[in-house]
Amino acid sequence: MVDGVTIAGTGGAPRLSDIAGRAAVSEATVSRVLNGKPGVADPTRRRVLAALDVLGYERPVRLRQRSAGLIGLVTPELTNPIFPAFAQAVEQVLAGHGYTPVLCTQMPGGATEDELVEQLVERGVDGIVFLSGLHADLSADPARYAALRERGVPFVLINGCNERISAPFVSSDDAAAVRMAVGHLVELGHRRIGLAVGPQRYVPARRKRDGFVEAAGRLLGLDRAEAESLVCTTLFSVEGGQVAAGALLDQGCTGVVCGSDLMALGVVRAARNRGLDVPGDVSVVGFDDSQLIAFTDPPLTTVRQPVRAMAGAAVSALLEEIGGSPVQRTEYVFQPDLVVRGSTAAARDA
Protein backbone atom coordinates (compact mmCIF):
# COMPACT_ATOMS: atom_id res chain seq x y z
CA MET A 1 0.00 0.00 0.00
CA VAL A 2 1.40 3.41 -1.03
CA ASP A 3 -0.29 6.36 0.67
CA GLY A 4 -3.53 4.43 0.87
CA VAL A 5 -3.31 3.02 -2.66
CA THR A 6 -2.82 -0.74 -2.93
CA ILE A 7 -0.72 -1.77 -5.94
CA ALA A 8 -0.51 -5.39 -7.02
CA GLY A 9 2.65 -6.69 -8.59
CA THR A 10 5.17 -9.46 -8.85
CA GLY A 11 7.30 -8.33 -5.95
CA GLY A 12 4.90 -6.85 -3.40
CA ALA A 13 4.09 -3.20 -2.92
CA PRO A 14 6.71 -0.87 -4.38
CA ARG A 15 8.24 1.89 -2.37
CA LEU A 16 7.71 5.50 -3.34
CA SER A 17 11.48 5.82 -3.68
CA ASP A 18 11.59 3.01 -6.28
CA ILE A 19 8.98 4.66 -8.46
CA ALA A 20 10.42 8.14 -7.94
CA GLY A 21 13.90 6.96 -8.87
CA ARG A 22 12.67 5.25 -12.04
CA ALA A 23 10.57 8.27 -13.11
CA ALA A 24 13.17 10.86 -12.04
CA VAL A 25 10.62 12.78 -9.95
CA SER A 26 10.09 13.42 -6.25
CA GLU A 27 8.31 11.00 -3.94
CA ALA A 28 5.70 13.67 -3.34
CA THR A 29 4.95 13.78 -7.07
CA VAL A 30 4.59 9.99 -7.17
CA SER A 31 2.16 10.16 -4.25
CA ARG A 32 0.03 12.78 -6.01
CA VAL A 33 -0.14 10.70 -9.18
CA LEU A 34 -0.99 7.44 -7.41
CA ASN A 35 -3.70 9.11 -5.38
CA GLY A 36 -5.21 10.83 -8.40
CA LYS A 37 -4.59 14.33 -7.10
CA PRO A 38 -4.39 17.35 -9.45
CA GLY A 39 -1.38 19.57 -9.97
CA VAL A 40 0.85 17.18 -11.95
CA ALA A 41 1.72 17.92 -15.58
CA ASP A 42 0.63 15.27 -18.08
CA PRO A 43 4.20 14.39 -19.22
CA THR A 44 5.24 13.89 -15.58
CA ARG A 45 2.16 11.81 -14.85
CA ARG A 46 2.95 9.59 -17.83
CA ARG A 47 6.52 9.10 -16.59
CA VAL A 48 5.26 7.94 -13.20
CA LEU A 49 2.80 5.51 -14.78
CA ALA A 50 5.51 4.24 -17.13
CA ALA A 51 7.78 3.65 -14.14
CA LEU A 52 5.01 1.70 -12.47
CA ASP A 53 4.62 -0.43 -15.61
CA VAL A 54 8.36 -1.04 -15.96
CA LEU A 55 8.60 -2.13 -12.32
CA GLY A 56 5.91 -4.71 -13.02
CA TYR A 57 3.09 -3.36 -10.87
CA GLU A 58 -0.55 -2.99 -11.82
CA ARG A 59 -1.95 0.50 -11.88
CA PRO A 60 -4.54 1.43 -9.26
CA VAL A 61 -8.06 1.06 -10.65
CA ARG A 62 -8.70 4.79 -10.44
CA LEU A 63 -5.70 5.44 -12.73
CA ARG A 64 -6.65 3.03 -15.48
CA GLN A 65 -7.67 4.93 -18.57
CA ARG A 66 -11.00 4.28 -20.17
CA SER A 67 -10.53 3.73 -23.87
CA ALA A 68 -11.61 6.55 -26.14
CA GLY A 69 -12.24 3.93 -28.84
CA LEU A 70 -10.61 1.32 -31.04
CA ILE A 71 -8.18 2.04 -33.89
CA GLY A 72 -7.19 -0.69 -36.33
CA LEU A 73 -3.55 -1.03 -37.34
CA VAL A 74 -3.03 -3.19 -40.43
CA THR A 75 0.59 -4.21 -41.00
CA PRO A 76 2.52 -6.63 -43.21
CA GLU A 77 4.27 -9.62 -41.66
CA LEU A 78 6.37 -8.78 -38.62
CA THR A 79 9.57 -10.62 -39.60
CA ASN A 80 11.01 -7.38 -40.98
CA PRO A 81 11.94 -5.42 -37.82
CA ILE A 82 10.83 -2.09 -39.28
CA PHE A 83 7.17 -3.14 -39.18
CA PRO A 84 7.10 -3.91 -35.43
CA ALA A 85 8.95 -0.62 -34.91
CA PHE A 86 6.22 1.28 -36.74
CA ALA A 87 3.49 -0.69 -34.97
CA GLN A 88 4.94 0.09 -31.56
CA ALA A 89 5.34 3.78 -32.38
CA VAL A 90 1.76 4.07 -33.66
CA GLU A 91 0.41 2.20 -30.64
CA GLN A 92 2.29 4.47 -28.23
CA VAL A 93 0.89 7.59 -29.85
CA LEU A 94 -2.63 6.15 -29.87
CA ALA A 95 -2.34 5.18 -26.21
CA GLY A 96 -1.30 8.74 -25.40
CA HIS A 97 -4.63 9.88 -26.84
CA GLY A 98 -6.58 7.23 -24.96
CA TYR A 99 -7.28 4.96 -27.94
CA THR A 100 -6.86 1.21 -27.92
CA PRO A 101 -5.01 -0.19 -30.95
CA VAL A 102 -6.13 -3.43 -32.60
CA LEU A 103 -3.15 -4.95 -34.42
CA CYS A 104 -3.89 -6.97 -37.56
CA THR A 105 -0.95 -8.66 -39.28
CA GLN A 106 -1.01 -10.05 -42.79
CA MET A 107 0.74 -13.41 -42.89
CA PRO A 108 1.37 -15.49 -46.01
CA GLY A 109 -1.59 -17.83 -46.30
CA GLY A 110 -3.49 -15.93 -43.60
CA ALA A 111 -6.25 -13.34 -43.74
CA THR A 112 -6.08 -10.84 -46.57
CA GLU A 113 -6.09 -7.09 -46.04
CA ASP A 114 -9.72 -6.93 -47.13
CA GLU A 115 -10.68 -9.65 -44.65
CA LEU A 116 -8.84 -7.91 -41.83
CA VAL A 117 -10.53 -4.62 -42.65
CA GLU A 118 -13.94 -6.28 -42.61
CA GLN A 119 -13.22 -7.73 -39.18
CA LEU A 120 -12.14 -4.32 -37.90
CA VAL A 121 -15.24 -2.61 -39.26
CA GLU A 122 -17.42 -5.28 -37.67
CA ARG A 123 -15.74 -4.54 -34.33
CA GLY A 124 -16.69 -0.89 -34.68
CA VAL A 125 -13.24 0.68 -34.94
CA ASP A 126 -13.15 4.47 -35.11
CA GLY A 127 -10.44 4.48 -37.78
CA ILE A 128 -7.68 2.46 -39.42
CA VAL A 129 -3.96 2.99 -39.97
CA PHE A 130 -2.54 1.09 -42.95
CA LEU A 131 1.21 0.43 -42.99
CA SER A 132 2.76 -0.55 -46.34
CA GLY A 133 -0.48 -2.20 -47.41
CA LEU A 134 -2.15 -2.75 -50.77
CA HIS A 135 -2.24 1.02 -51.24
CA ALA A 136 1.51 0.80 -51.99
CA ASP A 137 0.98 -1.87 -54.66
CA LEU A 138 0.21 -0.21 -57.98
CA SER A 139 -1.19 -3.48 -59.34
CA ALA A 140 -3.88 -3.62 -56.61
CA ASP A 141 -7.37 -2.18 -57.08
CA PRO A 142 -7.62 1.13 -55.16
CA ALA A 143 -11.44 0.94 -55.17
CA ARG A 144 -11.34 -0.88 -51.80
CA TYR A 145 -10.25 2.34 -50.11
CA ALA A 146 -12.98 4.41 -51.74
CA ALA A 147 -15.49 1.81 -50.55
CA LEU A 148 -14.08 2.04 -47.03
CA ARG A 149 -14.47 5.81 -47.03
CA GLU A 150 -18.06 5.46 -48.24
CA ARG A 151 -18.72 3.33 -45.17
CA GLY A 152 -17.67 6.27 -43.04
CA VAL A 153 -14.44 4.78 -41.69
CA PRO A 154 -11.56 7.32 -41.50
CA PHE A 155 -8.13 5.98 -42.41
CA VAL A 156 -4.56 7.07 -43.02
CA LEU A 157 -1.86 5.37 -45.11
CA ILE A 158 1.84 5.05 -44.26
CA ASN A 159 4.48 4.58 -47.00
CA GLY A 160 3.42 4.07 -50.59
CA CYS A 161 1.54 7.15 -51.81
CA ASN A 162 -0.98 6.25 -54.51
CA GLU A 163 -2.49 9.08 -56.55
CA ARG A 164 -5.60 6.97 -57.23
CA ILE A 165 -6.53 7.01 -53.53
CA SER A 166 -7.97 10.10 -51.83
CA ALA A 167 -6.55 9.99 -48.31
CA PRO A 168 -3.83 11.43 -46.06
CA PHE A 169 -0.49 9.73 -46.74
CA VAL A 170 2.61 9.75 -44.53
CA SER A 171 5.82 8.73 -46.28
CA SER A 172 9.57 8.68 -45.96
CA ASP A 173 11.34 10.33 -48.91
CA ASP A 174 12.56 7.17 -50.63
CA ALA A 175 14.21 8.93 -53.57
CA ALA A 176 16.12 11.27 -51.26
CA ALA A 177 17.21 8.29 -49.15
CA VAL A 178 18.85 6.58 -52.12
CA ARG A 179 20.39 9.79 -53.39
CA MET A 180 21.90 10.25 -49.94
CA ALA A 181 23.29 6.70 -49.92
CA VAL A 182 24.77 6.98 -53.42
CA GLY A 183 26.32 10.33 -52.53
CA HIS A 184 27.96 8.77 -49.47
CA LEU A 185 29.50 5.97 -51.55
CA VAL A 186 30.70 8.40 -54.22
CA GLU A 187 32.41 10.49 -51.53
CA LEU A 188 34.21 7.30 -50.46
CA GLY A 189 35.56 6.89 -53.99
CA HIS A 190 33.20 4.22 -55.31
CA ARG A 191 32.45 4.51 -59.03
CA ARG A 192 30.60 1.26 -59.66
CA ILE A 193 27.50 1.32 -57.47
CA GLY A 194 24.40 -0.87 -57.68
CA LEU A 195 20.90 -0.82 -56.19
CA ALA A 196 19.17 -3.87 -54.70
CA VAL A 197 15.48 -3.14 -54.38
CA GLY A 198 12.08 -4.81 -54.21
CA PRO A 199 9.44 -5.35 -56.92
CA GLN A 200 8.68 -2.27 -58.99
CA ARG A 201 4.94 -2.55 -58.52
CA TYR A 202 5.49 -1.11 -55.04
CA VAL A 203 5.67 2.68 -54.82
CA PRO A 204 8.62 2.82 -52.37
CA ALA A 205 10.68 0.51 -54.62
CA ARG A 206 9.87 2.56 -57.70
CA ARG A 207 10.81 5.78 -55.94
CA LYS A 208 14.09 4.29 -54.75
CA ARG A 209 14.92 3.28 -58.30
CA ASP A 210 14.13 6.78 -59.59
CA GLY A 211 16.34 8.30 -56.90
CA PHE A 212 19.16 5.95 -57.84
CA VAL A 213 18.94 6.70 -61.55
CA GLU A 214 18.97 10.45 -60.85
CA ALA A 215 21.93 10.22 -58.47
CA ALA A 216 23.91 7.91 -60.78
CA GLY A 217 23.43 10.35 -63.63
CA ARG A 218 24.31 13.45 -61.63
CA LEU A 219 27.21 12.04 -59.59
CA LEU A 220 28.64 9.35 -61.86
CA GLY A 221 27.70 10.62 -65.31
CA LEU A 222 25.68 7.53 -66.24
CA ASP A 223 22.82 7.75 -68.72
CA ARG A 224 19.47 6.29 -67.74
CA ALA A 225 20.04 2.94 -69.47
CA GLU A 226 23.43 2.49 -67.80
CA ALA A 227 22.01 3.38 -64.39
CA GLU A 228 19.02 1.07 -64.73
CA SER A 229 21.33 -1.81 -65.68
CA LEU A 230 22.74 -1.48 -62.15
CA VAL A 231 19.32 -1.87 -60.52
CA CYS A 232 18.51 -5.43 -59.41
CA THR A 233 14.86 -6.02 -58.60
CA THR A 234 14.20 -8.87 -56.21
CA LEU A 235 12.42 -9.55 -52.89
CA PHE A 236 12.60 -7.35 -49.79
CA SER A 237 14.33 -10.05 -47.75
CA VAL A 238 17.73 -11.46 -46.79
CA GLU A 239 17.42 -14.02 -49.57
CA GLY A 240 16.47 -11.28 -52.02
CA GLY A 241 19.56 -9.34 -51.02
CA GLN A 242 21.73 -12.38 -51.67
CA VAL A 243 20.30 -12.81 -55.16
CA ALA A 244 20.78 -9.13 -55.96
CA ALA A 245 24.34 -9.17 -54.66
CA GLY A 246 25.25 -12.01 -57.00
CA ALA A 247 24.11 -10.03 -60.02
CA LEU A 248 25.62 -6.71 -58.92
CA LEU A 249 28.98 -8.14 -57.84
CA ASP A 250 29.21 -9.89 -61.21
CA GLN A 251 28.92 -6.42 -62.77
CA GLY A 252 31.88 -5.21 -60.73
CA CYS A 253 30.01 -3.16 -58.14
CA THR A 254 32.09 -2.14 -55.13
CA GLY A 255 29.18 -0.40 -53.45
CA VAL A 256 25.59 -1.61 -53.05
CA VAL A 257 22.62 0.45 -51.86
CA CYS A 258 19.72 -1.65 -50.59
CA GLY A 259 15.98 -1.11 -50.30
CA SER A 260 15.85 -2.54 -46.77
CA ASP A 261 18.17 -3.53 -43.96
CA LEU A 262 17.27 -7.18 -44.45
CA MET A 263 18.36 -6.99 -48.08
CA ALA A 264 21.62 -5.38 -46.95
CA LEU A 265 22.30 -8.28 -44.61
CA GLY A 266 21.78 -10.61 -47.57
CA VAL A 267 24.31 -8.61 -49.60
CA VAL A 268 26.84 -8.88 -46.76
CA ARG A 269 26.30 -12.64 -46.60
CA ALA A 270 26.68 -13.05 -50.36
CA ALA A 271 29.89 -10.99 -50.42
CA ARG A 272 31.42 -13.08 -47.65
CA ASN A 273 30.41 -16.28 -49.41
CA ARG A 274 32.60 -15.07 -52.28
CA GLY A 275 35.50 -14.43 -49.93
CA LEU A 276 35.03 -10.66 -50.08
CA ASP A 277 35.41 -8.37 -47.10
CA VAL A 278 32.74 -5.86 -46.05
CA PRO A 279 33.63 -3.02 -46.16
CA GLY A 280 37.17 -3.69 -47.43
CA ASP A 281 36.06 -5.02 -50.83
CA VAL A 282 32.37 -4.10 -50.90
CA SER A 283 30.54 -1.28 -49.12
CA VAL A 284 26.88 -1.86 -48.25
CA VAL A 285 24.15 0.63 -47.30
CA GLY A 286 20.78 -0.45 -45.95
CA PHE A 287 17.47 1.32 -45.45
CA ASP A 288 15.23 1.56 -42.35
CA ASP A 289 17.66 1.45 -39.38
CA SER A 290 15.59 -1.01 -37.42
CA GLN A 291 16.55 -1.53 -33.80
CA LEU A 292 19.24 -4.24 -33.96
CA ILE A 293 21.03 -3.08 -37.11
CA ALA A 294 23.70 -1.19 -35.17
CA PHE A 295 24.77 -4.53 -33.66
CA THR A 296 25.31 -6.53 -36.85
CA ASP A 297 28.77 -7.54 -38.06
CA PRO A 298 29.81 -5.11 -39.33
CA PRO A 299 27.42 -2.50 -37.91
CA LEU A 300 25.32 -1.47 -40.89
CA THR A 301 25.48 1.92 -42.52
CA THR A 302 21.86 2.68 -43.34
CA VAL A 303 19.28 5.35 -44.03
CA ARG A 304 17.02 5.83 -41.03
CA GLN A 305 13.30 6.28 -41.44
CA PRO A 306 11.93 8.84 -38.94
CA VAL A 307 9.53 6.26 -37.51
CA ARG A 308 8.31 8.17 -34.46
CA ALA A 309 7.69 11.39 -36.35
CA MET A 310 5.84 9.54 -39.11
CA ALA A 311 3.73 7.62 -36.59
CA GLY A 312 2.84 10.83 -34.79
CA ALA A 313 1.81 12.54 -38.03
CA ALA A 314 -0.29 9.57 -39.14
CA VAL A 315 -2.16 9.36 -35.84
CA SER A 316 -2.69 13.13 -35.73
CA ALA A 317 -4.21 13.13 -39.22
CA LEU A 318 -6.45 10.19 -38.36
CA LEU A 319 -7.68 11.71 -35.10
CA GLU A 320 -8.45 14.97 -36.88
CA GLU A 321 -10.68 13.06 -39.27
CA ILE A 322 -12.29 11.12 -36.45
CA GLY A 323 -12.99 14.43 -34.73
CA GLY A 324 -14.73 15.74 -37.81
CA SER A 325 -12.04 18.19 -38.91
CA PRO A 326 -11.23 18.06 -42.63
CA VAL A 327 -7.73 16.77 -43.34
CA GLN A 328 -6.03 17.56 -46.61
CA ARG A 329 -5.85 14.55 -48.91
CA THR A 330 -2.16 14.86 -49.57
CA GLU A 331 1.20 13.26 -48.83
CA TYR A 332 3.22 14.32 -45.81
CA VAL A 333 6.84 13.52 -46.69
CA PHE A 334 9.49 13.05 -44.01
CA GLN A 335 13.22 13.33 -44.61
CA PRO A 336 15.38 10.32 -43.66
CA ASP A 337 18.87 10.49 -42.15
CA LEU A 338 22.04 8.72 -43.22
CA VAL A 339 23.59 6.80 -40.32
CA VAL A 340 27.21 5.92 -41.11
CA ARG A 341 28.58 2.82 -39.40
CA GLY A 342 31.04 0.07 -40.26
CA SER A 343 29.70 -1.44 -43.49
CA THR A 344 31.01 1.34 -45.73
CA ALA A 345 34.61 2.43 -46.33
CA ALA A 346 36.79 4.03 -48.97
CA ALA A 347 37.04 2.13 -52.24
CA ARG A 348 40.32 0.25 -52.64
CA ASP A 349 41.24 2.15 -55.82
CA ALA A 350 40.11 5.54 -54.49
Side-chain angles (χ1 to χ4, degrees):
M1 182 174 292
V2 179
D3 280 12
V5 178
T6 299
I7 306 175
T10 58
R15 294 176 298 181
L16 283 178
S17 58
D18 295 334
I19 305 171
R22 173 69 66 169
V25 299
S26 69
E27 293 183 24
T29 297
V30 173
S31 177
R32 296 188 70 84
V33 171
L34 295 182
N35 286 284
K37 294 181 179 179
V40 181
D42 284 342
T44 302
R45 178 181 177 277
R46 286 196 292 269
R47 285 212 310 277
V48 172
L49 294 179
L52 203 64
D53 296 340
V54 169
L55 290 170
Y57 297 99
E58 295 181 14
R59 298 182 185 183
V61 174
R62 74 176 72 177
L63 298 182
R64 296 174 189 170
Q65 291 184 341
R66 298 184 64 179
S67 177
L70 302 177
I71 301 292
L73 173 56
V74 180
T75 73
E77 42 74 29
L78 298 179
T79 54
N80 186 332
I82 194 61
F83 297 137
F86 263 112
Q88 182 178 33
V90 169
E91 289 179 347
Q92 287 176 338
V93 178
L94 286 172
H97 290 278
Y99 282 88
T100 301
V102 180
L103 178 64
C104 295
T105 304
Q106 301 173 64
M107 298 294 292
T112 65
E113 179 177 306
D114 293 337
E115 291 169 340
L116 293 173
V117 168
E118 192 61 34
Q119 293 169 17
L120 290 170
V121 174
E122 289 176 356
R123 293 188 65 176
V125 295
D126 294 290
I128 302 176
V129 178
F130 291 92
L131 171 60
S132 300
L134 290 174
H135 64 275
D137 186 344
L138 296 177
S139 68
D141 185 358
R144 54 176 46 88
Y145 299 103
L148 184 60
R149 187 168 298 285
E150 289 175 2
R151 298 174 72 175
V153 180
F155 60 91
V156 63
L157 307 159
I158 298 178
N159 278 338
C161 183
N162 191 328
E163 295 179 354
R164 299 178 295 170
I165 301 172
S166 176
F169 286 88
V170 175
S171 304
S172 179
D173 193 333
D174 294 292
V178 173
R179 289 196 296 267
M180 202 179 301
V182 172
H184 170 62
L185 293 176
V186 169
E187 288 178 358
L188 291 173
H190 294 273
R191 292 295 176 266
R192 192 70 172 170
I193 300 169
L195 174 68
V197 74
Q200 291 299 295
R201 70 176 187 272
Y202 295 111
V203 174
R206 186 169 297 193
R207 287 180 168 181
K208 288 181 174 72
R209 179 201 64 192
D210 291 343
F212 177 81
V213 169
E214 189 276 330
R218 177 169 50 86
L219 300 175
L220 297 172
L222 303 183
D223 62 32
R224 187 172 187 87
E226 290 175 312
E228 289 189 340
S229 71
L230 295 172
V231 176
C232 185
T233 298
T234 178
L235 301 178
F236 276 119
S237 64
V238 173
E239 294 75 17
Q242 286 185 263
V243 170
L248 295 173
L249 294 174
D250 285 346
Q251 294 188 65
C253 290
T254 64
V256 180
V257 177
C258 302
S260 75
D261 288 336
L262 291 184
M263 295 185 79
L265 296 181
V267 172
V268 172
R269 179 189 290 178
R272 286 177 170 168
N273 287 343
R274 292 189 176 205
L276 300 175
D277 178 70
V278 177
D281 299 306
V282 182
S283 285
V284 181
V285 183
F287 178 80
D288 283 333
D289 195 32
S290 40
Q291 192 170 15
L292 298 177
I293 288 304
F295 305 100
T296 58
D297 179 25
L300 189 66
T301 294
T302 188
V303 182
R304 175 184 295 157
Q305 289 201 70
V307 171
R308 292 187 179 278
M310 292 171 65
V315 171
S316 294
L318 182 63
L319 296 186
E320 286 291 322
E321 289 222 359
I322 291 173
S325 301
V327 177
Q328 192 172 8
R329 307 285 194 265
T330 188
E331 182 181 20
Y332 301 90
V333 180
F334 286 75
Q335 292 302 307
D337 297 309
L338 179 68
V339 183
V340 178
R341 297 195 182 102
S343 66
T344 52
R348 287 197 183 278
D349 56 354

